[in-house]
Amino acid sequence: MPRRSPFLVTPSQGFSRRRFVQGLAAGGVLAGLSTQSLMAFAQQGATVRGAAPVLRGNEFDLVIAESPVNFTGKPGMATTINGSLPGPTLRWREGETVTIRVTNKLREATSIHWHGIILPYQMDGVPGISFAGIPPGETFTYRFKVQQSGSYWYHSHSGMQELTGMYGSIIIDPAGPETIRSDRDHVVLFSDWTDEDPMRVFAKLKVQGDYYNYNQPTVFDFFRDASRDGVSAALDKRKMWNEMRMNPTDLADLSSATLTYLANGVTPAGNWTALFRPGERVRLRMVNGAGNTFYDVRIPGLKLTVVHVDGVDVEPVTVDEFRFGPGETIDVIVEPRDDAYTIFAQSMDRTGYARATLAVREGLQAPVPALDPVEWLGMSDMMGAMSHGTSGADMDMTGMSGISGMSGMTGMAGMAGMSGAMAGMDHGAMGGMNHGGMAMDHSQHAMSAGGLAVPSTTARHARTEYGARTDMRVDMARTNLDDPGIGLRNNGRRVLTLADLHTPSGPMDSRGPGREVELHLTGNMERYSWSLDGLEFGQSTPVHFRHGERLRVILHNDTMMTHPMHLHGMWSELESPDGRFLARRHTLPVQPAQRISFLVTADALGRWAWHCHLMFHMDAGMFREVVVS
């Protein structure tokens, strides 16, 4: 399929999908209907909204099956847990042992991964890594001791079942007193839904990586740039992007062209509502259970006090807005005074939103904000620290085509000529290279001056990055953590950043790292290929951690997309660029051209998964096995 022009957008690519962005007011699970009844219901524009029950105790029975759904007027089938979407909220208590029997009534194998939960690897629920999966018609029993408290979630780790509805929330009550005071408590689980077969969506992306990007630069953008910057500068700007064969608005693989955005399984038109009494302190446990969507969340008229991230308390920080990606959880405290407020979660690419309402009674609504304007990727999103310290899109891209090394290059691969970072580096002789062509042991690299007291900043590109699977490499990645990200910079609101997060209890392990392991997040947008160190999962070898060791992990993003990276089984203790402990996490978003680091104590024997939590990136190959032995 030919790529669309970088200048033009056809009329069908505009925002005429308003009904699909909003969905049906009562869209959701259709309970107990035959196929014929389902079709009749759909023709009438009617449906039944499901609900996620709360299950408490030590023993649980979960049944995985298909259920008819209708979110947009087009009937479909979802993968549900106990007939609901989302699945039941599971309420556990720290220190107790839970037994969860999962019965598979699908025609294919299934699984459940307990996201962020510390447990034996055999209970982690990743087929092919920690167990064989749950075959059709069989029951698998998960049993483990609950060693933590807080807000978590669970989801399928089989095929595309997570995208088709198989996810739910977990609340773990602490063994002692609650550390966060609130008068009321609500779970708000954001997700996304597509009426298309997910494998068909994936096939389209493989043919054309920006198939669903309807924010392509248009001729009107060109005239605007020419009016503001001059015709020559506007032409240079377009020439630069065309030569790189990249798109400045390629912020998300999927958009409202195929996605409907959900809050607790309810469409924006359905308006899921959380109740409160004026004057109460309300805890909102926000979960991003989306397959492919970063959400920017705010509640106009209310400040958000962030108190708990990825299941761990943080020092309270008050903001207007935060961004979180698939896999992340963020708890906030709000103190509403008026009758109704909109919980507004717009997608990073600004094509749609999920929304809910915080109100004193059902049926109330508050104004829904307009979507923010789309921003183009900026210098630091492409070049990292080579952008001379700019925090992002505030630096103009005009004139880039005149920079040495840009002309005629494919992506960023030619950018090595722009800096001295690569000068004198013999990539064919880097320590630890597996000359068999499979993988590279980054842990064997020489460390930067000063040893391991601070994270190294010199990019150590694997030889496997130099090939058709990668279309750019960033040699001088930025290491700042105070950037809220594209679309949130200088928007007039106080936006949460990684630098704001501090776990008050400090690191779990006082030891410093004994070595560094560096992985590069790599891809080729044109081919829709995603990988680590240029190797897709099937071509890679496991990363090895020594049991009990303390090590530093560096994630270096060589792409122009943000990746939420999830390491199973062990905590990721985020550190600042100067090596100070910041916060304990289980999922870390890595922005374009960014280099971040965290410490890990390899205290969990076994085989673990490590991957991007954008489903299609993981499925395309941005996945690696970790072996702790």
Side-chain angles (χ1 to χ4, degrees):
M1 182 181 298
R3 291 177 62 85
R4 290 189 289 268
S5 164
F7 289 96
L8 300 177
V9 174
T10 64
S12 65
Q13 294 169 356
F15 285 97
S16 60
R17 290 188 75 251
R18 193 66 179 177
R19 181 172 68 90
F20 292 92
V21 173
Q22 296 285 342
L24 296 177
V29 176
L30 300 165
L33 296 179
S34 66
T35 302
Q36 292 79 8
S37 300
L38 172 61
M39 295 300 293
F41 243 53
Q43 291 170 1
Q44 297 167 16
T47 187
V48 178
R49 186 167 72 181
V54 178
L55 304 181
R56 303 171 183 265
N58 296 328
E59 297 205 13
F60 304 86
D61 291 283
L62 304 180
V63 177
I64 315 303
E66 284 191 327
S67 299
V69 294
N70 192 339
F71 291 105
T72 66
K74 181 178 180 180
M77 299 298 291
T79 309
T80 58
I81 306 170
N82 289 10
S84 71
L85 188 166
T89 296
L90 306 181
R91 194 128 196 175
W92 305 338
R93 181 168 291 278
E94 182 183 12
E96 297 185 352
T97 296
V98 294
T99 301
I100 308 154
R101 292 174 288 271
V102 179
T103 300
N104 183 8
K105 292 192 174 181
L106 302 173
R107 291 166 290 180
E108 60 188 17
T110 191
S111 60
I112 291 182
H113 166 58
W114 314 100
H115 188 107
I117 302 300
I118 302 300
L119 37 59
Y121 84 94
Q122 299 91 337
M123 298 289 105
D124 194 47
V126 182
I129 300 288
S130 55
F131 81 143
I134 310 172
E138 295 193 12
T139 298
F140 182 84
T141 300
Y142 293 89
R143 184 177 292 108
F144 49 88
K145 184 175 181 179
V146 180
Q147 306 176 56
Q148 61 216 96
S149 61
S151 303
Y152 297 90
W153 70 299
Y154 64 100
H155 57 85
S156 172
H157 227 290
S158 298
M160 298 291 178
Q161 293 168 5
E162 181 185 337
L163 183 58
T164 58
M166 193 173 161
Y167 43 78
S169 301
I170 300 170
I171 299 174
I172 307 176
D173 296 313
E178 180 59 72
T179 56
I180 298 172
R181 184 180 67 82
S182 64
D183 302 305
R184 196 177 292 259
D185 190 311
H186 293 289
V187 171
V188 186
L189 192 160
F190 296 106
S191 60
D192 46 21
W193 170 266
T194 175
D195 288 329
E196 297 185 78
D197 181 339
M199 291 308 298
R200 174 61 177 154
V201 172
F202 188 51
K204 290 179 181 178
L205 292 171
K206 291 295 289 184
V207 172
Q208 182 178 329
D210 62 352
Y211 184 91
Y212 294 102
N213 180 5
Y214 288 179
N215 286 327
Q216 303 273 7
T218 68
V219 67
F220 303 107
D221 295 319
F222 173 78
F223 289 141
R224 180 202 61 205
D225 291 346
S227 175
R228 183 188 64 197
D229 305 319
V231 173
S232 178
L235 286 171
D236 281 348
K237 190 175 183 179
R238 293 306 191 278
K239 182 173 182 287
M240 181 268 295
W241 286 107
N242 288 343
E243 286 179 345
M244 291 191 301
R245 289 185 284 180
M246 292 182 178
N247 193 311
T249 62
D250 211 347
L251 308 181
D253 298 322
L254 304 184
S255 67
S256 65
T258 189
L259 294 178
T260 299
Y261 304 107
L262 306 178
N264 285 342
V266 178
T267 65
N271 188 30
W272 181 85
T273 300
L275 299 180
F276 71 93
R277 293 189 181 94
E280 288 183 328
R281 283 172 54 91
V282 180
R283 180 175 183 173
L284 300 175
R285 301 175 186 259
M286 309 277 200
V287 179
N288 190 332
N292 295 276
T293 302
F294 274 86
Y295 283 110
D296 296 338
V297 182
R298 68 184 193 268
I299 305 177
L302 283 180
K303 293 291 185 179
L304 312 177
T305 301
V306 177
V307 294
H308 190 84
V309 175
D310 279 3
V312 180
D313 291 354
V314 295
E315 294 177 6
V317 54
T318 299
V319 299
D320 299 309
E321 185 171 16
F322 64 85
R323 168 173 291 168
F324 71 157
E328 296 183 76
T329 68
I330 295 182
D331 290 21
V332 301
I333 296 291
V334 296
E335 299 186 38
R337 302 290 176 179
D338 294 335
D339 287 347
Y341 299 85
T342 294
I343 303 172
F344 184 69
Q346 60 181 330
S347 63
M348 181 195 287
D349 69 328
R350 304 295 187 251
T351 64
Y353 59 85
R355 71 114 173 192
T357 295
L358 188 61
V360 295
R361 64 179 181 275
E362 290 280 357
L364 294 182
Q365 297 189 43
V368 178
L371 292 166
D372 285 345
V374 178
E375 287 192 15
W376 283 26
L377 292 163
M379 287 278 280
S380 69
D381 300 310
M382 293 175 55
M383 300 165 58
M386 286 192 286
S387 62
H388 306 292
T390 179
S391 63
D394 50 328
M395 178 172 282
D396 194 356
M397 302 294 289
T398 57
M400 283 285 292
S401 61
I403 295 178
S404 173
M406 288 289 287
S407 179
M409 74 180 185
T410 299
M412 297 287 288
M415 267 194 162
M418 296 181 60
S419 76
M422 303 298 284
M425 184 176 288
D426 182 358
H427 292 282
M430 295 177 71
M433 180 73 73
N434 177 344
H435 292 281
M438 285 295 294
M440 181 179 188
D441 184 0
H442 288 289
S443 65
Q444 302 303 313
H445 288 306
M447 298 305 144
S448 60
L452 295 175
V454 298
S456 63
T457 57
T458 301
R460 301 188 285 263
H461 292 291
R463 188 167 62 181
T464 48
E465 284 189 63
Y466 295 77
R469 295 185 185 89
T470 61
D471 60 6
M472 64 186 279
R473 288 181 300 279
V474 175
D475 298 326
M476 295 177 65
R478 56 196 175 98
T479 59
N480 63 309
L481 301 179
D482 59 354
D483 179 12
I486 182 71
L488 295 177
R489 300 159 180 152
N490 305 312
N491 66 2
R493 301 187 288 267
R494 169 77 162 89
V495 185
L496 185 74
T497 69
L498 288 178
D500 294 321
L501 300 178
H502 301 276
T503 301
S505 57
M508 299 177 66
D509 190 332
S510 61
R511 294 177 296 165
R515 63 183 177 116
E516 284 186 351
V517 172
E518 180 171 327
L519 280 179
H520 285 239
L521 316 182
T522 48
N524 185 312
M525 300 289 285
E526 188 84 9
R527 296 169 180 258
Y528 201 74
S529 171
W530 299 102
S531 54
L532 294 170
D533 285 351
L535 292 171
E536 296 174 4
F537 174 60
Q539 300 156 333
S540 67
T541 54
V543 177
H544 288 273
F545 293 173
R546 295 186 293 271
H547 184 235
E549 74 169 323
R550 182 76 161 164
L551 67 151
R552 172 179 286 128
V553 171
I554 293 175
L555 297 178
H556 181 114
N557 191 350
D558 284 307
T559 79
M560 287 167 53
M561 300 194 81
T562 304
H563 302 280
M565 298 302 297
H566 175 43
L567 172 62
H568 290 218
M570 290 155 279
W571 287 108
S572 303
E573 298 195 322
L574 177 68
E575 62 180 348
S576 66
D578 60 2
R580 290 177 296 109
F581 168 79
L582 291 179
R584 198 179 315 150
R585 302 294 303 269
H586 56 58
T587 307
L588 278 167
V590 189
Q591 295 178 5
Q594 187 180 44
R595 182 180 176 93
I596 70 170
S597 63
F598 57 91
L599 300 187
V600 176
T601 297
D603 55 1
L605 287 166
R607 302 172 62 197
W608 303 97
W610 191 3
H611 60 88
C612 176
H613 224 283
L614 295 171
M615 178 171 293
F616 291 124
H617 290 193
M618 179 180 70
D619 202 66
M622 192 174 277
F623 186 109
R624 192 64 65 88
E625 180 182 352
V626 174
V627 175
V628 180
S629 59

